[in-house]
Amino acid sequence: MSVVFTSLWQDGSQEQRNKLRFLLTASVLLLCLYVIWGDQIFIDNEWHESCSGRKMPVHNPATGDLLCEVEEADTEDVDKAVRSARTAFQLGSPWRCMDASDRGLLLNRLADLVERDRLRLATLEALDSGKIFLMAYFVDLMATVKTLRYYGGWADKVQGKTIPVDGEYFTYTRHEPIGVCGQIIPWNFPVMMFAWKIAPALCCGNTVIIKPAEQTPLTALHMACLIKEAGFPPGVVNVLPGYGPTAGNAIAHHMDIDKIAFTGSTAVGKLVQKAAGDSNLKRVTLELGGKNPNIVFADCDLEYAVEQAHSGLFFNQGQCCLAGSRVFVEDSIYEEFVCRSAEKARNKVLGNPLVPGVDQGPQIDQKQFDKILELIESGKREGATLECGGGPWDRNSLFIQPTVFSNVTDDMRIAKEEIFGPVQQIMRFHSVNEVIQRANATHYGLAAGVFTNDIDKALTVSSALQAGMVWVNCYNAMSTQCPFGGFKMSGNGRELGEYALQEYTEVKAVTIKISQKNS
Amino acid sequence: STMLRIVLSRTLPRISGISNCQYSAAAIPVPNAQPEVHYNKLFINNEWQDAVSKRSFPTINPATGEVICQVAEADKADVDKAVKAAREAFRFGSPWRRMDASDRGLLLSRLADAIERDTAYLAELETLDNGKPYAVSYSVDVPMVVKCLRYYAGWADKWEGKTIPIDGDFFCYTRHEPIGVCGQIIPWNFPLLMQAWKLGPALATGNTVVMKVAEQTPLTALYVASLIKEVGFPPGVVNILPGMGPSAGSAITSHMDVDKVAFTGSTEVGHLIQQASGSSNLKKVTLELGGKSPNIIMSDANMAEAVEQSHFALFFNQGQCCCAGSRTYVQDTIYDEFMERSVERAKSRVVGDPFNMKTEQGPQVDEEQFKKILGYISSGKREGAKLMCGGGVAADRGYFIQPTIFGDVQDGMTIAREEIFGPVMQILKFKTLEEVVERANDTKYGLAAAVFTKDIDKAHYISSGLRAGTVWINCYDVFGAQAPFGGYKYSGNGRELGEYGLDNYTEVKTVTIKVPQKNS
């Protein structure tokens, strides 16, 4: 994904570069004049203060500045939101009676509004999450618009079946919405995750209570404004900024929420699953962590593989569940690969995410920052070779040097735990069978990459890897049409694509006795 | 007017936030009865061109019989040009072939937006050229066009192939590829809507199109061509040729470089198309042809509803519908009352200037149809059916015919067997369920059918037993872009609309790759 921007900047026409300059100027202007449209809780298409009267601070991770304070939702606010979502879901409500094609039209209108506010949203996203502004603009916002449009198209295509059952019966299925869906999203792609969650849910006719991450609530609240503007009926989408242990916990345990979808850490994923078991057996989909293998064979295009492996790890400050954080390189090209990878990492430009040419911003917060540094130290201690980086970028900020470790062995903590930061592990392998076995020796199973020009190796490895996505000669090649989700402890269910629709529908089989059956 | 209310309530079954503001009757603007014609040439490669022969033909306002304008007349040489453009646009590596499927969808969405923007103008032009009431053009035809295009826009990036667990050490998948250059020949009864039904699935799946529009009604299709260019379809993807069937139409169906032909029109011409495919390159053929659709009224039906819907089923669009309910079978115990109320309803039908908002029925499309219908009415009288109302010409100029009802119609009469395509309703009497299913199926056609009953068993028995591509229960002419439409038997081949519509524009390619070792 980062390639998109880099090539636009480096190889793009003068006109394209001028456009980028304009965008940057405009975003900096917006930065000076930025207006946050929503800083409250959005329930029933209205803005509410928190029942507790509490607010939470929202910071710019690049500077540590306080951006604003946002109303903090807790259990009582969740109860209010659930009541509103339940009313919106009642039989006979405007939302339930609406033509499916009109639900699609609403999603398309929302996409139009996001497109209109793309610059504002990208600026807000960069400020709030510290991600590179141009990435936010070109990657996150584009994916948001496309996801909304894609599911806009599905709304009137979620088709039941008529089924040739035995006996004198006529049987058909209705694909009905599940009901009130709780959705809890992370801070690494705030607006994009928002779209991934609400689009399939709304397309199928559900109502939603969504909790954005406490670090990054601002774009979600802006989306709430647009949801109202697009014309969604009250109560269909409710947006509650808040913390996991309070608001998130209330959603996960709620007896009147029919389904929960969570994206975040595997540790919290377990809590969400348990909460469903402890409460009303709500349906659970989880999109969790990864320790994704990226396998590079000697017969690949080396320079390209180095570049893809680099962006596969360092994209978004390494804060991706998909990050290719175990790079397995065939021994005959190992030294060369390590050397080129370290050089690439050393050339990375850190700085203010709004400045052009900067390609790595700060980590999201102090907690993540500390955790990443602690894992880097463990790598040094356990004997990995530090090729570059290895520490904070400067003392008073949340930036971390792009770090590459070589001679990493499978038992080291940096080879087993999700780091979620700009730290690349490069391992050596000899044979196809060995690398398959090692790549799969993890409790994660989200994504994987393989670089080779040999069709047999490509197909063998991609079949054998236990991962929800396998990229061959590419990495992070995601699109809204293509399902996304994890094997094993990386999650449960799939997002995006047609597959996501089944996570937001209940199938009802209706069987009618008839007087005489005929084929 | 009652009919308009029915039509509106059909497109707008519920008051939902969105639809309400778009389609409410109050929002219909006063029409300009003399809309300016902007385009009257051939549209090839995104350019306006004269016919190679330099010939043109007049298009007539059927309400007055007057010439609206001259239109360039495509012939074989023009078809060849258009096919070349479409072939070039379909070349491997062309912008159209390389385009993301989602972007094809976006172009179709933009086309829908542009048509929606120009709803009033397009409705005026449609009414001028075709004679259908403006209120209907505005609130039925154009909105359905918009919905159809939006529907297929959504399919573009959802038309998925499969990976298939075949036996042996192989990896197997299918690609759903476009067929190629598609010839499409459309009729004059719903010019805009038929254009959308044809373009939507063809373009969503990535084909290129050479479309011949009916010589009676070329104007709206040409305006839509200008919108196709405006929204950014690459040159050659859609080519639109006004022309005659025996010349331009025949050139398309016999063309050796057209990969598929889709035709909507008469069964008679459908035969010719299938033959032409056989004698040329075996191009794929889909046909949507005539009908003599049974509409069955059981004695337990809601009488008022059944009378109104049966009236609508036949008289909608001046009776010019392939799915018109032209054999109304009424159970004997309610026959007399149904007849009386149907006649009363037909007599109250407002026939006249299609630009008048009160008008329910405009003129027939041209003199040929007008005469043909009058001929059928004479045959009905001659063969002993009982003329209950109407039966003649309704105005001293234009092609207006009185709403006509025949009672005591017998299955063997010409008016009970042949497609009339005009405002002439046949009412037949039946006794039993088994009898009416057999009689309803005793036709070479099999397009649509309906049954009105409150009894769930009867509804299922009849809907299973009828040999028809569409069966409506307690409703008629309910069309959604989402639901497939097409005929059994002589009524056609293939289905339009819905997901099924995509099949007819797709070649399936199976790719099988040897792998060293297969695993589940």
Side-chain angles (χ1 to χ4, degrees), chain A residues 94 97-103 105-106 108-109 112 115 146 149-154 156-157 159 170 231 455-457 459-460 463 480-481 497-499 512-516 518-519, chain B residues 11 13-14 16-19 21-22 100 102-103 106 109-110 113 147 150-155 157-158 160 171 456-458 460-461 464 482 498-500 513-517 519-520:
Chain A
C97 290
M98 189 179 283
D99 282 339
S101 66
D102 284 339
R103 289 202 305 269
L105 205 52
L106 283 174
N108 263 306
R109 285 196 190 157
D112 291 343
E115 233 168 15
K146 286 200 169 190
R149 286 204 201 290
Y150 177 75
Y151 285 106
W154 267 122
D156 60 357
K157 298 171 186 73
Q159 305 174 111
F170 166 62
I455 191 170
D456 283 346
K457 280 182 198 160
L459 290 169
T460 300
S463 297
T480 179
Q481 298 89 4
E498 183 175 3
Y499 293 87
I512 305 180
K513 180 87 182 83
I514 55 175
S515 48
Q516 189 194 76
N518 279 274
S519 61
Chain B
T11 47
R14 287 175 302 277
S16 72
I18 299 187
S19 306
C21 57
Q22 285 182 339
D100 282 339
S102 67
D103 284 336
L106 207 50
S109 268
R110 301 274 179 258
D113 292 344
K147 285 197 171 198
R150 292 217 168 108
Y151 176 75
Y152 280 109
W155 269 123
D157 61 356
K158 300 172 184 69
E160 300 166 337
F171 167 60
I456 192 170
D457 279 341
K458 289 177 189 161
H460 276 114
Y461 180 84
S464 299
Q482 302 89 0
E499 182 174 0
Y500 295 88
I513 307 179
K514 180 87 183 83
V515 295
Q517 187 194 69
N519 280 272
S520 60

Side-chain angles (χ1 to χ4, degrees), chain A residues 118-196:
Chain A
R118 186 171 176 178
L119 183 56
R120 186 184 285 270
L121 278 161
T123 308
L124 214 48
E125 195 81 321
L127 280 174
D128 201 4
S129 79
K131 65 171 61 198
I132 305 299
F133 164 76
L134 286 167
M135 290 294 172
Y137 187 87
F138 283 108
V139 180
D140 299 60
L141 267 299
M142 186 177 70
T144 301
V145 169
K146 286 200 169 190
T147 300
L148 294 170
R149 286 204 201 290
Y150 177 75
Y151 285 106
W154 267 122
D156 60 357
K157 298 171 186 73
V158 181
Q159 305 174 111
K161 301 169 196 244
T162 64
I163 300 173
V165 293
D166 294 351
E168 307 298 311
Y169 302 104
F170 166 62
T171 293
Y172 61 91
T173 56
R174 277 167 53 84
H175 289 192
E176 298 185 0
I178 295 177
V180 177
C181 299
Q183 304 184 316
I184 301 177
I185 58 172
W187 44 259
N188 57 344
F189 295 92
V191 73
M192 190 173 97
M193 289 298 116
F194 188 91
W196 281 24

Side-chain angles (χ1 to χ4, degrees), chain A residues 5-121:
Chain A
F5 165 66
T6 314
S7 65
L8 264 178
W9 186 256
Q10 288 168 357
D11 313 327
S13 64
Q14 193 56 43
E15 191 186 338
Q16 282 167 325
R17 297 182 67 153
N18 284 343
K19 188 186 174 199
L20 296 181
R21 282 207 184 83
F22 164 78
L23 285 171
L24 283 163
T25 315
S27 70
V28 171
L29 275 176
L30 273 179
L31 171 65
C32 304
L33 302 167
Y34 76 89
V35 180
I36 291 167
W37 282 14
D39 60 0
Q40 292 184 309
I41 298 170
F42 184 77
I43 297 175
D44 219 29
N45 277 6
E46 278 163 18
W47 297 101
H48 297 257
E49 290 176 358
S50 66
C51 295
S52 68
R54 284 203 308 276
K55 295 181 181 210
M56 55 187 200
V58 180
H59 292 102
N60 176 350
T63 60
D65 293 343
L66 182 70
L67 288 170
C68 66
E69 291 201 310
V70 167
E71 296 291 329
E72 181 199 332
D74 202 337
T75 309
E76 267 186 87
D77 308 285
V78 170
D79 287 341
K80 256 169 82 177
V82 172
R83 279 196 295 276
S84 155
R86 179 60 60 196
T87 304
F89 192 72
Q90 255 173 7
L91 266 184
S93 73
W95 181 239
R96 292 296 296 279
C97 290
M98 189 179 283
D99 282 339
S101 66
D102 284 339
R103 289 202 305 269
L105 205 52
L106 283 174
L107 280 169
N108 263 306
R109 285 196 190 157
L110 181 59
D112 291 343
L113 296 176
V114 172
E115 233 168 15
R116 181 196 72 190
D117 287 2
R118 186 171 176 178
L119 183 56
R120 186 184 285 270
L121 278 161

Side-chain angles (χ1 to χ4, degrees), chain B residues 76-392:
Chain B
K76 186 172 181 312
D78 309 289
V79 169
D80 286 343
K81 270 169 76 174
V83 170
K84 278 202 190 75
R87 178 60 60 196
E88 176 59 21
F90 192 73
R91 186 177 44 78
F92 201 70
S94 73
W96 180 240
R97 293 295 297 279
R98 305 253 306 121
M99 190 178 282
D100 282 339
S102 67
D103 284 336
R104 288 204 305 272
L106 207 50
L107 284 175
L108 277 170
S109 268
R110 301 274 179 258
L111 181 58
D113 292 344
I115 289 172
E116 194 171 48
R117 178 196 66 196
D118 296 343
T119 297
Y121 173 73
L122 276 165
E124 288 161 0
L125 204 56
E126 193 81 323
T127 291
L128 180 73
D129 208 9
N130 165 283
K132 63 175 65 197
Y134 171 78
V136 175
S137 308
Y138 185 88
S139 56
V140 179
D141 293 66
V142 181
M144 284 178 79
V145 166
V146 170
K147 285 197 171 198
C148 176
L149 294 174
R150 292 217 168 108
Y151 176 75
Y152 280 109
W155 269 123
D157 61 356
K158 300 172 184 69
W159 188 219
E160 300 166 337
K162 302 170 195 241
T163 64
I164 299 173
I166 56 167
D167 294 352
D169 287 330
F170 302 102
F171 167 60
C172 177
Y173 62 90
T174 56
R175 275 167 55 82
H176 287 188
E177 298 186 359
I179 295 177
V181 176
C182 299
Q184 303 185 316
I185 301 177
I186 61 171
W188 46 259
N189 56 343
F190 294 93
L192 276 169
L193 188 58
M194 291 299 108
Q195 187 186 34
W197 282 23
K198 290 279 183 287
L199 290 179
L203 299 178
T205 46
N207 296 276
T208 59
V209 167
V210 175
M211 174 180 279
K212 185 194 94 62
V213 298
E215 66 270 24
Q216 294 88 342
T217 55
L219 297 182
T220 48
L222 292 175
Y223 186 78
V224 168
S226 78
L227 302 181
I228 284 168
K229 183 174 180 176
E230 176 190 322
V231 301
F233 281 91
V237 171
V238 181
N239 304 278
I240 298 195
L241 307 176
M244 308 294 162
S247 52
S250 174
I252 290 173
T253 55
S254 307
H255 206 289
M256 293 300 287
D257 203 27
V258 169
D259 300 303
K260 183 236 158 77
V261 65
F263 170 74
T264 297
S266 70
T267 295
E268 183 192 352
V269 175
H271 279 282
L272 299 178
I273 303 228
Q274 190 96 304
Q275 281 163 359
S277 162
S279 16
S280 59
N281 62 345
L282 284 174
K283 54 178 68 65
K284 279 104 189 82
V285 178
T286 49
L287 302 170
E288 204 272 271
L289 308 174
K292 192 72 190 176
S293 302
N295 179 16
I296 300 171
I297 319 297
M298 306 299 297
S299 58
D300 65 0
N302 176 324
M303 174 66 77
E305 184 72 11
V307 167
E308 184 56 40
Q309 288 292 311
S310 302
H311 175 82
F312 169 69
L314 186 284
F315 290 99
F316 178 60
N317 209 42
Q318 295 68 248
Q320 303 167 143
C321 298
C322 49
C323 54
S326 54
R327 289 184 295 149
T328 310
Y329 287 97
V330 182
Q331 200 157 23
D332 49 7
T333 53
I334 58 162
Y335 183 86
D336 292 337
E337 187 189 350
F338 185 92
M339 175 64 79
E340 189 185 323
R341 292 169 75 158
S342 293
V343 168
E344 190 187 327
R345 177 65 187 90
K347 281 182 174 163
S348 72
R349 190 169 183 80
V350 182
V351 182
D353 174 10
F355 281 103
N356 186 324
M357 290 294 193
K358 292 202 177 70
T359 295
E360 292 175 281
Q361 182 176 319
Q364 308 309 122
V365 77
D366 66 7
E367 193 172 2
E368 188 188 332
Q369 288 293 319
F370 176 76
K371 287 183 171 157
K372 186 176 144 198
I373 295 161
L374 292 175
Y376 277 118
I377 293 175
S378 303
S379 90
K381 293 179 193 163
R382 205 169 48 241
E383 295 180 21
K386 190 168 167 193
L387 182 68
M388 307 300 294
C389 65

